[in-house]
Each structure stands twice: as C-alpha cells, then as structure tokens.
Amino acid sequence: MADTAAAENPVPVHSATEIAAAWRRERPGTPTESIEIVTPIWWLAKLFTDDRNRALREAGIDAATLDLLSVIRRSGPPYTLSTREIARRTLVTAGAISQRVARAERDGLVRRTPATTGRRTVLVELTAEGHALIERSVDTVLDREATLVSCLSDHERTALIAILDKLMADVRQRKLS
C-alpha cells in the first residue's frame, strides 16, 4: 500500500537546484538556467494532475467531460456554444471536441442542435443532467485546488499569476513563431 502511494506521489530525490548544479558540474557550459523553473513546474503539474484525477473520480466525472461541461457552463445562459467555439476556448482539436460531445450526448449531459444561421455550425447545449453534474463537480475540484495553493499569501498569488501569465504568453508566442 505504501509503495502505491509513493508511486502516485513521487518525491524527487534531488531538488531542481541540485539537478542544475550537477549538470553544471558534469557539463560546464550546458545551459541550466531553466532547470530551477521548468523542473518544479513539471513536478507540480504531475502532483496537481494526480490530485485532480482523484477529485474527479470522487465527483464521478473525467477530465475531458469536466473541460467540456465547464466551458459551456462558464459561457452563461443559455449554456450553449458552437463546437468551433468550444474548440477555441479549450485549445482542443475539432476532432477531439466532436468525440467529447458525442460521448457527453450519449451520457445525456449535452444536446446537439444545428445553428439557425444556415451554416454547418453545430450548437452544444447543457442538459439539466449535465448542468447538475458540472455544478457538483466544479466545487469538488476547485475546493481541492484552492487547498493546494492555500500556503500562498494573496500577494504571492498575485505575483505568481502575473509571472505565469508572462511566461505563458511568451511560450505561446514562441510556439506560434
């Protein structure tokens, strides 16, 4: 049992600072300035993902369905978006959105209807069951994530948000270039 918990929540043997120092020692001249930033981000992403997956299992929803229902719920009444808009807001391919919508429709969580604009646009609307599921699930997930970052002061959160926004914008720009 302890081995399973350790496998789910691996504790790095070395800190990112130690890893960077080891690379500088072993390969002088190797660019190591990113290690103490990127490595903890990867570790945190793993820990956050594992924790979120546990919270999702408890809530009875998977990550893809949460993403789909959340984007529609956040759009406001009448809780309807086109598949194109869902793809844009989730950064998921149109094919993946189509699969997610089909699965959610089979589960009775969303309803697809053609748009009245005459184009090939498909609208996706939350059903009462989908609305109820996202209402239950979002609190479970966000309460848990709030706990995970509760060690940060308001000032630290504000600073971290700004830094992460800056880094995200730059990485996205470089990826698009």
Side-chain angles (χ1 to χ4, degrees), residues 14-172:
H14 299 288
S15 73
T17 301
E18 292 170 319
I19 292 169
W23 278 118
R24 284 192 297 274
R25 180 190 69 238
E26 295 299 317
R27 296 205 51 197
T30 295
T32 60
E33 57 274 1
S34 66
I35 292 174
E36 292 172 277
I37 296 167
V38 175
T39 299
I41 289 172
W42 281 111
W43 289 341
L44 282 169
K46 168 77 169 106
L47 294 171
F48 285 157
T49 299
D50 290 349
D51 195 83
R52 177 176 264 217
N53 287 337
R54 278 191 297 279
L56 291 173
R57 278 192 304 274
E58 290 171 18
I61 191 170
D62 62 80
T65 303
L66 176 77
D67 193 32
L68 173 66
L69 299 183
S70 292
V71 75
I72 298 169
R73 174 62 178 89
R74 289 191 314 264
S75 71
Y79 310 114
T80 303
L81 288 174
S82 70
T83 53
R84 182 182 315 257
E85 184 61 20
I86 293 169
R88 189 185 72 74
R89 292 184 185 193
T90 60
L91 302 176
V92 176
T93 66
I97 291 300
S98 181
Q99 290 175 354
R100 289 179 182 187
V101 169
R103 188 173 66 239
E105 187 174 42
R106 278 193 308 272
D107 293 342
L109 304 173
V110 299
R111 177 180 315 107
R112 284 187 276 194
T113 58
T116 58
T117 58
R119 297 188 331 222
R120 295 183 347 184
T121 302
V122 174
L123 299 177
V124 182
E125 175 185 10
L126 283 181
T127 63
E129 187 177 342
H131 194 277
L133 178 59
I134 194 60
E135 292 298 303
R136 287 190 314 270
S137 304
V138 74
D139 286 344
T140 299
V141 172
L142 294 181
D143 284 347
R144 182 63 192 146
E145 290 177 356
T147 300
L148 293 177
V149 298
S150 65
C151 68
L152 300 175
S153 70
D154 288 345
H155 175 74
E156 289 168 327
R157 287 176 200 214
T158 300
L160 184 56
I161 290 166
I163 291 166
L164 291 172
D165 283 349
K166 178 180 180 179
L167 182 59
M168 181 68 75
D170 188 66
V171 169
R172 280 186 173 156

